[in-house]
Amino acid sequence: LGINFGYHAILKGMGIPIIEQSIDWNDSTLAAWNIIVICLQPAIIEELYFRGVAWKVLRQSQGPHVTIAIVSVMFGLAHIGVPLSIPMLTLIGFALGYARLYSGGLILPMLMHFVHNFVVIVVDSLQ
């Protein structure tokens, strides 16, 4: 998270506009839906796809580190809507990939993904 915030702070410092995702905490229904859509849904669906399906397919022919590298690049590129975030999201993909490798399952990467997205929207909402 710290590296992600630092990276985006550098981009902002260079005058590059950054898309921020903030939540209106005054509307609890809207806030809940935002948490579901921005934090929970990507944590589940993206992890099922990248560290689940794609992981299993690649592991049939690749070692764990190559699998993590390929899946991480795929994860970063899947966020093409925010192109300046691709390098950082690729690095986050590595962290999620190694969490998958060492935990042996998807729960840890899902929790990490959720917490990352949640902290980002909370911090963006405070700015």
Side-chain angles (χ1 to χ4, degrees), residues 11-58:
L11 293 176
K12 286 179 190 177
M14 295 170 58
I16 298 171
I18 302 299
I19 298 170
E20 295 181 351
Q21 301 175 0
S22 61
I23 291 180
D24 179 5
W25 296 102
N26 296 319
D27 183 342
S28 60
T29 302
L30 184 57
W33 276 111
N34 277 306
I35 291 169
I36 289 168
V37 170
I38 297 170
C39 303
L40 184 61
Q41 179 271 337
I44 294 170
I45 302 302
E46 291 180 8
E47 293 310 312
L48 283 173
Y49 177 71
F50 291 108
R51 260 69 57 188
V53 175
W55 178 282
K56 287 180 183 177
V57 169
L58 287 166

Side-chain angles (χ1 to χ4, degrees), residues 19 50 73-87 89:
I19 298 170
F50 291 108
V73 171
M74 289 170 55
F75 179 74
L77 291 173
H79 296 84
I80 193 72
V82 190
L84 292 175
S85 293
I86 291 172
L89 291 170

